Structures are given as C-alpha cells and as structure tokens.
Amino acid sequence: MEQQTAKPTEREKGVEKKSTLQRTPLLAGNWKMYKTVSESEALAKELKQLVAGVSGREILICPPSINLTKVSEIIMGTNICLGAQNLHWANEGAFTGELSGPMIKAAGCKYVIIGHSERRQYFGETDKIVNDKMNAALKAGLFPIVCVGETLEEREANNHFKVVERQIRDGVSNLVKEDYLKLVIAYEPVWAIGTGKTASPAQAQEMHAFIRKILSQIYNEPLAQKTRILYGGSVKPDNIDSLMSQPDIDGGLVGGASLKAADFSRIVAYQAA
Ligand code: PGA
C-alpha cells in the first residue's frame, strides 16, 4: 500500500482562505452626523437598488439615530441591515438626549457602533464606558462593533500595539461565549480617519493579526478565529480590494465613502485576491 505523507494544511501554511474560516465579511457604512431624514431616505433607496444582487457578505448602514425608523422601513426585507452609531449604557432613565439599547433595537437595528474615536475624543468615552456600553448592547440583543485605534502621536512613539491592547483588554474582556460570538471589532487608526491617509494593507494586517492574538489570549484561539475584525480609516473604492485581500481583515467600517451610494456599493462589491 502506498504510504501517505502528511502534508501541511492550508491553515498551517498560513494561506487558508477567509471564506473557510466562517467569518462572513461585513461592510459597514457610518454616516456620522450627515443626512437629514429625506436625504437618508434617498441614499438608502439608491443603495438598495445598487446592492440588490450582492450575497455572501453582510451590508450594514448606520444613519443618524433620528433617521433610523425611516431607513428601517426602506431596507426592510433587503440584504442591508441597520445599525446605530452610539447608545447609552442604561436601559432607561433620566439621561437627557440619550438613547438606550432597547430603543435602538426597537427601531430595527441589529448592530451598534461603540467607542468610535470621535466619541472617545470629543465626548470623553473611556475604555470603561466602552465596556459598559458593549454590555448594554448585548443585553438589548444588539451586536456591538467596538472601535479601537491609536492616534498619530501614539504610533510615532511606537506605542500603537500597547494602546490597542489596552483598549481591547479593558473594553471587551469578561464576555460569556454566546455574547462574545456577537462581538465585532473595528480597527480604526485615528490618523487615517477622514484624512485620506489609509493604513497600508500590510500595516492594517499587522494590527489585525495582533488584535486576534490578544483575543485568543483573553478568550481562546478557536473563538478568536471566529471574530470579525473590520478596518476603518479612509476606506475607498480604490483601496478596498487590497485591504480585503489580507487574511485578518474581515470587512470595513466606512465613513465618507458610505455617503455616496455608488462608492459604497463598489466597496460592498469588493473582490479580494
Ligand atoms: P472615513 O471614516 O472612512 O471617513 O475615514 C471612517 C470612520 O470614522 O468610521
């Protein structure tokens, strides 16, 4: 009988395709504080047409909260899902101007963005607040997208890994398995947001692999392999293909380019090498 020699698996060779890793790519549009209700309606309608034939990836839009209900009606039953950009950590209460997880869920959202660098920078959100908000989101039945990322100063001082490790350890530890599986991480280097300066695919991949390593230390390797890690920061139609070709980049969190249906639909239709 012919002797079979054990060949290294694709995984061991480091060339396993993302599609075999059970991580459905997620392309998320963060509309930030842009678009009135009628403008949101028009953008959602246009996008709905352009992405109608797309499958094998999850498409998400996060309009301003005041427009969630309207947009929810427009995308109901399509391949686009809805998310909010922020939530409060309490279920309800005397918190003027805030929105709770149950309210966001009831408006038709599946996801909520938490700890975006703009929230950290302008609204004083700490890792503790991020952690509280993540727990509130999970309690309300929402999938949290927790944002991490270093500033230019921190990268130049070579502290980027330390900063991101702290944001991950303090922000997303102590989850039970069922909740952990709902977590999405978005790596968004602050110096790349809205600046037109994207991290190179290699720079992004390096940090994504590092984040996955930290997650495997906090949880375990098989769970960390299931977690989607999105890249954000000047994602555009002309750089999405090379970003998505990296083994640990599982999607994008897109700001400016998500405000134009043609650009965002091209991003959604990325082709990874
Ligand atoms: P940008 O924003 O794509 O405009 O750089 C990304 C984000 O802040 O999520």
Coordinates of all heavy atoms in Angstrom, one line a residue, residues 30 32 116-118 188 192-195 232-236 253-257, ligand 1:
N30 N -20.8 54.1 8.1 CA -21.1 55.0 9.3 C -21.3 56.4 8.7 O -20.4 57.1 8.3 CB -19.8 55.0 10.2 CG -19.9 56.0 11.3 OD1 -20.9 56.6 11.6 ND2 -18.8 56.2 12.0
K32 N -22.2 59.0 10.2 CA -21.9 60.1 11.2 C -23.0 61.1 11.2 O -24.2 60.7 11.1 CB -20.5 60.7 10.8 CG -19.4 59.6 10.7 CD -18.1 60.2 10.6 CE -17.0 59.1 10.5 NZ -15.7 59.5 10.5
H116 N -16.3 54.7 19.0 CA -15.7 55.3 17.9 C -14.7 56.4 18.3 O -14.9 57.1 19.3 CB -16.7 56.0 16.9 CG -16.2 56.4 15.6 ND1 -15.5 57.6 15.5 CD2 -16.2 55.8 14.4 CE1 -15.1 57.7 14.2 NE2 -15.5 56.6 13.6
S117 N -13.6 56.6 17.6 CA -12.6 57.5 18.1 C -13.1 59.0 18.3 O -12.7 59.7 19.2 CB -11.4 57.6 17.2 OG -11.7 58.1 16.0
E118 N -14.2 59.3 17.5 CA -14.8 60.6 17.7 C -15.5 60.7 19.0 O -15.6 61.8 19.6 CB -15.7 60.9 16.5 CG -14.8 61.3 15.2 CD -15.5 60.9 13.9 OE1 -16.7 60.6 13.8 OE2 -14.7 60.8 12.9
E188 N -9.5 51.2 13.8 CA -9.5 52.4 13.0 C -8.4 53.3 13.5 O -8.6 54.0 14.6 CB -10.8 53.2 13.2 CG -12.0 52.4 12.7 CD -13.2 53.3 12.4 OE1 -13.6 54.0 13.3 OE2 -13.7 53.3 11.2
A192 N -5.9 57.9 10.3 CA -6.4 57.5 8.9 C -7.9 57.9 8.7 O -8.4 57.8 7.6 CB -6.3 56.0 8.7
I193 N -8.6 58.4 9.8 CA -10.0 58.7 9.7 C -10.2 60.0 9.1 O -9.8 61.1 9.6 CB -10.7 58.6 11.1 CG1 -10.6 57.2 11.6 CG2 -12.1 59.0 11.0 CD1 -11.2 57.0 13.0
G194 N -10.9 60.0 7.9 CA -11.3 61.3 7.3 C -10.1 62.1 6.7 O -10.3 63.2 6.3
T195 N -8.9 61.5 6.7 CA -7.8 62.2 6.3 C -7.3 61.9 4.9 O -6.4 62.5 4.3 CB -6.6 61.9 7.2 OG1 -6.4 60.4 7.2 CG2 -6.8 62.3 8.6
G232 N -11.1 50.4 9.4 CA -11.7 51.7 9.1 C -10.7 52.8 9.1 O -9.7 52.8 9.8
G233 N -10.9 53.8 8.2 CA -10.0 54.9 8.1 C -9.7 55.1 6.6 O -8.9 54.4 6.0
S234 N -10.5 56.0 6.0 CA -10.3 56.3 4.5 C -10.4 55.1 3.6 O -9.7 55.0 2.7 CB -9.0 57.1 4.3 OG -9.0 58.3 5.0
V235 N -11.3 54.2 4.0 CA -11.6 53.1 3.0 C -12.4 53.7 1.8 O -13.3 54.5 2.0 CB -12.5 52.0 3.7 CG1 -13.0 51.0 2.7 CG2 -11.8 51.3 4.8
K236 N -11.9 53.4 0.6 CA -12.5 53.9 -0.6 C -12.6 52.8 -1.6 O -12.0 51.7 -1.4 CB -11.5 55.0 -1.2 CG -11.1 56.1 -0.3 CD -12.2 57.1 -0.1 CE -11.8 58.2 0.9 NZ -12.8 58.7 1.8
L253 N -15.2 49.5 8.0 CA -16.1 50.5 8.6 C -15.8 51.8 7.9 O -14.7 52.3 8.0 CB -15.9 50.6 10.1 CG -16.8 51.6 10.9 CD1 -18.2 51.3 10.7 CD2 -16.5 51.6 12.4
V254 N -16.8 52.2 7.1 CA -16.6 53.2 6.1 C -17.3 54.5 6.4 O -18.5 54.5 6.6 CB -17.1 52.7 4.7 CG1 -16.7 53.7 3.6 CG2 -16.5 51.3 4.4
G255 N -16.6 55.6 6.5 CA -17.3 56.9 6.8 C -17.6 57.6 5.5 O -18.6 57.3 4.9
G256 N -16.8 58.6 5.1 CA -17.0 59.4 4.0 C -17.6 58.7 2.7 O -18.5 59.2 2.1
A257 N -16.9 57.6 2.4 CA -17.3 56.9 1.1 C -18.7 56.2 1.3 O -19.2 55.7 0.3 CB -16.2 56.0 0.7
Ligands
PGA1 P1 -13.6 57.7 7.0 O1 -14.2 57.4 8.4 O2 -13.9 56.5 6.1 O3 -14.3 58.9 6.5 O4 -12.1 57.8 7.2 C1 -14.2 56.1 9.0 C2 -14.8 56.1 10.3 O5 -14.7 57.0 11.1 O6 -15.5 55.1 10.7

